Amino acid sequence: MRSMAAAVAGAFLLGAGAAQAADLPVVPKVMPAEVKAPDPLIGFAFYSAYATDYNFRGVSQSNLQGSYQTFFEAQFFNNFAYAGFYT
């Protein structure tokens, strides 16, 4: 019985210590001011990939050959105008 009381008292003390630690005031860290890079007038993106033969339920959907996929886009004046090309 004595060991049971000691275990309960120890658990209570450990729990009370954690609750006190959570209540302590925390001084927020001072973060430096953000430095933002200037927006470019024109932005470009390019993508290219090669896909192998595509089979659906055992039937070739690309005549047993692979295919190339390309993508190009241009953005003007911080996304005010956009042009893209995909093959």
Side-chain angles (χ1 to χ4, degrees):
M1 185 71 175
R2 182 179 274 181
S3 63
M4 179 70 149
V8 169
F12 178 73
L13 291 175
L14 287 175
Q20 288 177 356
D23 295 339
L24 294 176
V26 177
V27 179
K29 294 181 180 180
V30 177
M31 301 298 288
E34 291 185 22
V35 178
K36 185 180 178 192
D39 291 326
L41 292 177
I42 301 173
F44 296 101
F46 178 78
Y47 168 79
S48 179
Y50 177 77
T52 59
D53 181 28
Y54 175 70
N55 289 320
F56 180 72
R57 295 185 181 175
V59 178
S60 175
Q61 302 295 309
S62 59
N63 199 19
L64 300 176
Q65 297 187 9
S67 64
Y68 289 101
Q69 300 169 352
T70 58
F71 173 74
F72 175 78
E73 75 175 18
Q75 299 173 355
F76 305 99
F77 307 112
N78 196 18
N79 292 331
F80 180 73
Y82 169 86
F85 181 72
Y86 184 81
T87 61

